[in-house]
């Protein structure tokens, strides 16, 4: 097993996840099997209860694991299917160590950070790194390890020590480290001193970076590169220039041009690994498709205005997977995505009184958008604005996509406006729990008094209902498929008691769970695209294989849905899959000529 550690210094949030994912992608283009692990030094067991405005989105895996959003980057770039064990937190490690101590596994010894906590970390990494994550079913050749935060943080000390032990116990050619640093621009001059100090801190902790990836706003000057190489004691080619790019999908190409593959091959002796010819050809095809898809993005001219009506806009990563899914779909449709983020509260009448300018600006964006998306969320704040956006989309025939909460609120709006269901019945039990008679009700079996890990989570099937061959969404998945598999994360659902009333007025529930009780997908027949899904399709969207609901939404907004559907039908007839994925691997598509 080969390990590539990606760590960070100076400041957090400089792009370690993208660089780690890009390095993994380049290894895959060689035909290697690649896995990844994210280390988060916080004491939380997982990311499930974290505020998205502080920590960004919670990413959900097939097994229901609620994990750090960087695992989404790994899955999107590498086309792998990870598990909750691929996200290591300090909380998980301490829980495991304390449980072992209570069982008596340590035979009366004094339990200490070294060697017991660090040993548990090292064992976890070695065990998870060997788990197959792709359709080969074989042990990976290389594992990318990203250490969250910055080296020197008190929270990560145990992990740094464990990684030092891992490096010591590995063979000389089995472990390498890429340290990501930030080179600030001060009065027009690139300052290298923070990077020098960061490398000194890393070395004092016991780690020795092989490569230094320098994040910067513009290309590093030759003098800055040479200075970093001299004072950090590495060769000049080992200083990687990771400047800001028009798209993060172009970062692998940037690193490829700086010979990252050759540097990793030399350091880890990857040329000694036996790679089947079929895997080499597959890697070459992946790289060719990736470059074709990403290189011309800045030259796209057909702009597409999409409005996202959300409630966690303070943190740009709150809707990261949603945004990435829109980007994947826009790239496939060869459109330049112009995403307009609208605070849902700005669409509500009270804002017209308190801040008329924001109210009218928000409604202008909604009323002129090519498509409207309402993502998931929790709580009553802003939901009346989301309902108003759904009503506008339905009545104006503007393409609409509702995800989880967005689907539920589209049902609420239809119940109010078309079925004349009165308030408070036409709302969600989440917002008004005074009675069980609500259009949206809770699923009490999924949260018996605890919040963490108690929602309906993970990969679950959705069965297409009879006489739904007319569905635009079903056509994208493939009419020959009786069911699809998508990832879920929710506590509330549509009340079965209102289904007949809603369907009699034209809101069709085209997809349900295997019991036929839980409603998974809604669609309006006489509408360019009005779709709501209870699941989160963004968690299965890939760069080379966009999520079907997002692809249909973008294509309908660009008025090319028929062409995209026809293209997908040709691929499906040649062995495509219901959800575009088989064991984490996407089919490779040719770009449509539109």
């Amino acid at each position: 097993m080969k390990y590539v550690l990606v760590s960070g210094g100076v400041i957090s949030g400089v792009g370690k996840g993208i660089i780690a994912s890009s390095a993994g992608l380049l290894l895959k283009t060689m035909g290697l099997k690649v896995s990844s692990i994210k280390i988060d030094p916080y004491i939380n067991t997982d990311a499930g209860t974290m505020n998205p405005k502080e920590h960004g989105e919670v990413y959900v895996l097939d097994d229901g694991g609620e994990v750090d959003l960087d695992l989404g980057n790994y899955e999107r770039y590498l086309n792998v299917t990870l598990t909750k064990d691929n996200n290591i937190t300090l909380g998980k490690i301490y829980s495991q160590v304390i449980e072992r101590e209570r069982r008596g596994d340590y035979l009366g010894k004094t339990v200490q950070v070294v060697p017991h906590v660090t040993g548990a970390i090292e064992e976890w990494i070695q065990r998870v790194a060997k788990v197959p994550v792709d359709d080969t079913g074989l042990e990976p050749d290389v594992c990318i390890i990203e250490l969250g935060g910055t080296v020197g943080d008190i929270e990560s000390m145990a992990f740094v020590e464990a990684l030092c032990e891992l490096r010591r116990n590995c063979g000389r050619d089995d472990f390498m480290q890429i340290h990501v640093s930030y080179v600030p621009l001060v009065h027009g001059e690139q300052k290298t001193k923070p990077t020098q100090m960061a490398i000194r801190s890393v070395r004092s902790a016991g780690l020795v970076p092989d490569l230094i990836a320098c994040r910067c706003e513009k290309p590093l000057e030759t003098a800055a590169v040479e200075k970093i190489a001299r004072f950090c004691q590495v060769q000049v080619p080992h200083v990687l220039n990771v400047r800001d790019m028009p798209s993060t999908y172009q970062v692998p190409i940037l690193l490829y041009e700086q010979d990252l593959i050759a540097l990793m091959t030399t350091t880890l002796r990857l040329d000694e690994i036996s790679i089947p010819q079929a895997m080499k050809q597959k890697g070459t095809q992946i790289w060719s498709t990736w470059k074709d898809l990403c290189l011309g993005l800045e030259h796209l001219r057909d702009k597409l205005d999409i409005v996202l009506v959300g409630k966690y806009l303070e943190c740009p990563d709150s809707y990261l997977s949603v945004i990435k899914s829109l980007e994947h779909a826009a790239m496939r449709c060869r459109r330049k995505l112009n995403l307009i983020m609208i605070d849902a509260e700005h669409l509500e009448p009270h804002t017209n009184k308190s801040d008329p300018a924001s109210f009218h600006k928000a409604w202008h964006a909604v009323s002129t958008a090519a498509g409207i998306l309402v993502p998931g969320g929790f709580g009553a704040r802003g939901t009346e604005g989301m309902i108003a956006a759904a009503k506008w989309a339905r009545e104006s025939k503007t393409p609409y996509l509702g995800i989880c909460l967005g689907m539920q609120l589209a049902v609420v709006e239809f119940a109010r406006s078309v079925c004349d269901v009165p308030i408070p019945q036409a709302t969600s039990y989440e917002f008004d729990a005074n009675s069980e008679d609500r259009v949206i009700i809770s699923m009490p079996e999924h949260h018996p008094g605890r919040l963490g890990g108690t929602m309906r989570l993970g990969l679950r099937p959705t069965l297409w209902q009879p006489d739904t061959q007319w569905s635009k969404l079903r056509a994208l998945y493939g009419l020959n498929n009786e069911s699809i598999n998508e990832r879920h994360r929710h506590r509330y659902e549509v009340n079965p008691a209102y289904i007949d009333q809603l369907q009699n007025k034209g809101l069709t529930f085209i997809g349900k769970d295997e019991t036929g009780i839980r409603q998974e997908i809604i669609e309006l027949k006489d509408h360019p695209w009005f779709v709501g899904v209870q699941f989160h399709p963004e968690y299965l969207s890939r760069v080379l294989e966009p999520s079907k609901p997002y692809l249909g939404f973008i294509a309908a907004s660009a008025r090319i849905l028929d062409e995209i559907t026809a293209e997908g039908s040709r691929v499906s007839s040649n062995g495509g899959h219901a959800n575009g994925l088989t064991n984490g691997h996407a089919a490779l598509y040719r770009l449509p000529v539109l």
Side-chain angles (χ1 to χ4, degrees):
M1 174 63 65
K2 308 285 187 179
Y3 297 96
V4 177
L5 170 63
V6 179
S7 57
V10 182
I11 58 174
S12 60
V14 293
K16 295 191 300 295
I18 297 298
I19 292 173
S21 301
S22 299
L25 174 65
L26 292 177
L27 291 170
K28 289 206 70 160
T29 66
M30 299 172 62
L32 294 169
K33 301 179 292 296
V34 183
S35 183
S36 58
I37 292 173
K38 173 66 188 297
I39 294 175
D40 285 304
Y42 45 67
I43 299 178
N44 303 61
T45 299
D46 58 32
T49 58
M50 289 185 170
N51 188 335
K53 292 194 292 186
E54 295 179 9
H55 190 260
E57 73 167 8
V58 176
Y59 189 80
V60 177
L61 302 169
D62 275 6
D63 63 0
E66 297 175 289
V67 297
D68 184 82
L69 57 83
D70 275 318
L71 272 76
N73 285 325
Y74 306 152
E75 287 200 339
R76 284 188 285 267
Y77 276 66
L78 306 181
N79 281 334
V80 294
T81 299
L82 304 176
T83 71
K84 57 187 175 184
D85 286 345
N86 290 83
N87 191 192
I88 308 176
T89 69
L90 196 58
K92 287 181 180 178
I93 295 298
Y94 273 111
S95 294
Q96 183 187 81
V97 171
I98 292 171
E99 183 181 353
R100 287 178 176 177
E101 186 275 330
R102 292 289 82 188
R103 287 200 310 260
D105 293 358
Y106 298 115
L107 301 177
K109 293 181 179 178
T110 301
V111 181
Q112 298 175 296
V113 173
V114 181
H116 301 103
V117 172
T118 56
I121 295 169
E122 188 176 358
E123 290 172 10
W124 192 305
I125 291 172
Q126 291 174 327
R127 171 176 57 84
V128 174
K130 296 178 181 179
V131 176
V133 293
D134 59 27
D135 58 354
T136 65
L138 300 174
E139 179 180 315
D141 300 305
V142 184
C143 180
I144 307 290
I145 305 170
E146 180 190 347
L147 176 60
T150 57
V151 175
D153 294 342
I154 191 170
E155 294 92 347
S156 63
M157 291 175 64
F159 289 108
V160 171
E161 184 64 31
L163 290 166
C164 292
E165 283 294 302
L166 179 64
R167 179 166 193 152
R168 183 174 68 88
N169 294 329
C170 286
R172 177 181 297 178
D173 306 319
D174 293 337
F175 189 102
M176 72 172 292
Q177 181 181 357
I178 302 173
H179 192 72
V180 184
S181 185
Y182 178 61
V183 178
L185 194 65
V186 180
H187 301 305
E189 181 183 357
Q190 293 175 336
K191 295 293 185 179
T192 64
K193 185 64 72 176
T195 296
Q196 297 175 41
M197 299 304 294
I199 297 300
R200 183 179 300 177
S201 175
V202 172
R203 287 209 169 107
S204 67
L207 292 171
V208 182
D210 299 282
L211 305 177
I212 303 173
C214 297
R215 286 284 294 110
C216 45
E217 283 81 7
K218 64 179 186 178
L220 279 180
E221 298 170 358
T222 302
V225 172
E226 292 176 347
K227 193 172 184 180
I228 290 170
R230 181 184 307 112
F231 287 99
C232 297
Q233 299 172 357
V234 297
Q235 298 296 320
V236 170
H238 291 206
V239 179
L240 302 176
N241 183 347
V242 191
R243 66 184 185 275
D244 289 350
M245 300 293 287
S247 167
T248 57
Y249 305 115
Q250 296 172 339
V251 174
I253 301 172
L254 176 68
L255 296 177
Y256 175 84
E257 292 172 346
Q258 298 179 65
D259 295 324
L260 179 57
I261 289 180
L263 292 170
M264 291 190 292
T265 299
T266 302
T267 306
L268 297 173
R269 295 199 176 181
L270 299 176
D271 51 349
E272 297 180 0
I273 298 176
S274 177
I275 305 173
Q277 189 61 32
M279 293 294 290
K280 291 182 180 179
Q281 293 175 349
K282 189 173 185 178
T284 301
Q285 186 181 9
I286 289 172
W287 188 233
S288 176
T289 307
W290 189 284
K291 290 191 295 182
D292 289 344
L293 193 64
C294 299
L295 280 177
L297 293 180
E298 62 267 33
H299 302 303
L300 295 177
R301 294 291 179 262
D302 295 331
K303 189 176 72 169
L304 192 65
D305 294 332
I306 298 296
V307 161
L308 186 153
V309 181
K311 55 195 293 184
Y312 309 122
L313 305 185
E314 294 88 342
C315 176
D317 287 339
S318 297
Y319 299 110
L320 182 63
S321 288
V322 171
I323 294 170
K324 295 301 180 184
S325 299
L326 291 170
E327 291 175 353
H328 301 164
M331 286 191 292
R332 174 76 183 281
C333 295
R334 309 310 289 172
R335 293 297 187 271
K336 185 176 182 179
L337 177 67
N338 179 36
L339 184 60
I340 305 166
M341 310 284 277
I342 297 296
D343 189 326
E345 289 187 282
H346 290 173
L347 299 175
E348 298 175 352
H350 67 83
T351 302
N352 193 19
K353 298 179 180 179
S354 61
D355 188 356
S358 295
F359 177 82
H360 291 294
K361 182 179 179 181
W363 270 110
H364 178 267
V366 169
S367 60
T368 58
I372 299 170
L373 186 147
V374 177
F378 297 93
R381 182 179 64 85
T383 53
E384 289 302 321
M386 294 177 175
I387 290 172
K391 182 176 182 179
W392 170 269
R394 180 180 58 81
E395 293 180 341
S396 66
K397 302 290 186 180
T398 301
Y400 175 87
L401 179 61
I403 306 295
C404 196
L405 178 65
M407 177 259 208
Q408 295 172 3
L409 295 180
V411 173
V412 168
E413 187 280 321
F414 195 88
R416 291 180 183 179
S417 303
V418 181
C419 300
D420 296 323
V421 178
I423 298 175
Q425 286 78 13
T427 189
S428 172
Y429 184 82
E430 182 181 8
F431 316 145
D432 184 351
N434 292 321
S435 171
E436 296 286 342
D437 184 16
R438 299 289 182 264
V439 169
I440 306 298
I441 57 175
S442 71
M443 300 183 294
E445 73 273 24
H446 288 287
H447 53 104
R450 300 183 64 177
L451 290 180
T454 56
M455 287 186 276
R456 185 169 179 250
L457 294 164
L459 192 72
R460 297 172 183 270
T462 294
L463 279 61
W464 299 114
Q465 298 304 292
D467 302 321
T468 58
Q469 286 79 5
W470 54 265
S471 164
K472 300 177 180 67
L473 177 60
R474 183 174 180 180
L476 283 169
Y477 278 105
L479 293 176
N480 294 328
N481 299 302
E482 297 298 325
S483 65
I484 57 174
N485 294 303
E486 294 281 2
R487 295 177 182 175
H488 292 66
R489 185 177 187 253
H490 65 110
R491 284 195 176 93
Y492 300 89
E493 63 178 338
V494 179
N495 189 341
Y498 284 91
I499 299 303
D500 290 342
Q501 186 176 355
L502 292 163
Q503 291 208 128
N504 288 338
K505 290 292 188 177
L507 186 66
T508 308
F509 292 85
I510 64 171
K512 301 183 181 183
D513 75 343
E514 62 271 32
T515 68
I517 297 174
R518 296 213 156 101
Q519 316 303 310
E520 295 279 2
I521 308 173
I522 63 169
E523 185 171 346
L524 287 177
K525 190 172 185 178
D526 298 322
H527 195 286
W529 181 272
F530 194 95
V531 171
V533 294
Q534 184 59 74
F535 46 81
H536 288 264
E538 61 269 21
Y539 295 143
L540 283 180
S541 186
R542 303 290 183 258
V543 179
L544 302 183
E545 175 51 32
S547 160
K548 299 298 188 293
Y550 285 93
L551 179 60
F553 170 64
I554 290 294
S557 301
R559 300 183 179 181
I560 55 170
L561 180 58
D562 291 342
E563 294 95 318
I564 291 295
T565 302
E567 175 73 18
S569 297
R570 288 194 293 274
V571 173
S572 295
S573 65
N574 292 323
H577 304 284
N579 59 350
L581 293 165
T582 299
N583 295 328
H585 266 265
L588 294 178
Y589 285 75
R590 292 182 179 179
L591 295 180
V593 180
L594 303 175

